[in-house]
Amino acid sequence: LYISSNPPLMTPPESLGSLSQLQSLYIYYNDALTSLPESLGSLSQLQSLEINDNDALTNLPESLGQLFQLQSLQIRGNSELTTLPDLLGQLSQLQSLYIFENNDLIILPESLKRLRSLEELAVSKIEDLVPFGEVTPILTSLDTLAIINSKLADLPESLGQLTQLECLYIGSNSKLTTLPESLGLLSQLQSLTIYNNEALLNLPKSLGSLSQLQSLEIHTNSNLTTLPESLTQLVNSLEELDIRYNSIPNETVQYWKTALPNTQIISEYD
């Protein structure tokens, strides 16, 4: 069911909750929408919910925590949204959670640490990852994590406890200057993308311990001038290295082409 592009709609009717067999609900581009009915929690078969680009939406009903069959939840581009319901932590079947580009939403609820089935987590615009440091040791099923467009100056060492992580994206974090050495503990990581972090000065030496890493994209980090020597340890596993548009000089790029002869290296000098 799509509820989309209804300029005068301020809230959907409570009768929406009577659609007991509904499995997917998409609420998009409703400029006057300020709230959603508590009856949403009665959609007992709902598996996918997307709430995107509703510019006047200020809050979400606590009853969302009653959607016990929900597997995918996306909340994106709701510019007036400031908080998320703490009861989201009750969504025991949730596998995918995307919280993106909600300009006034800067803190995640503590209850996220109870989402033990979560496999994909993407967050942006977050200014504080507390309680993220508490959450990461518990999210043991997580295989994909994206931290995008935040105001964070650092990331918690506890990221290294996400032992099932296969894909990690760290991008457009304007205050991020370093990454935790614990990233080297991500023994299942296959793809790592680090891009457009303008304050990032260096990368952790521990990246050389990522023995399963196949794709490493490090691009458009304007103050990054070098790569850790430990990357030579990936000579037999790394398939692609993208180092475009950093401040890495050509002679350094040529060095890495020699040091990693089996790796496709992409740079602006090609």
Side-chain angles (χ1 to χ4, degrees), residues 21-66:
Q21 300 303 308
L22 192 67
Q23 295 186 359
S24 299
L25 176 60
Y26 306 99
I27 304 172
Y28 291 173
Y29 302 113
N30 301 287
D31 293 341
L33 188 72
T34 59
S35 63
L36 298 175
E38 286 290 336
S39 65
L40 281 185
S42 300
L43 299 175
S44 59
Q45 300 303 309
L46 200 67
Q47 297 180 18
S48 178
L49 175 60
E50 297 186 8
I51 304 168
N52 297 339
D53 298 295
N54 304 286
D55 290 341
L57 186 65
T58 58
N59 60 76
L60 300 177
E62 288 289 336
S63 64
L64 292 186
Q66 299 172 21

Side-chain angles (χ1 to χ4, degrees), residues 221-264:
N221 304 286
S222 57
N223 281 299
L224 189 66
T225 60
T226 187
L227 302 177
E229 186 66 24
S230 63
L231 291 183
T232 57
Q233 299 173 37
L234 305 180
V235 64
N236 294 318
S237 60
L238 193 62
E239 298 177 0
E240 180 179 277
L241 174 62
D242 184 346
I243 48 176
R244 289 175 293 178
Y245 310 124
N246 302 293
S247 293
I248 299 173
N250 186 29
E251 55 266 30
T252 302
V253 173
Q254 300 309 314
Y255 165 79
W256 283 107
K257 288 186 175 181
T258 302
L260 297 172
N262 301 317
T263 303
Q264 179 186 7

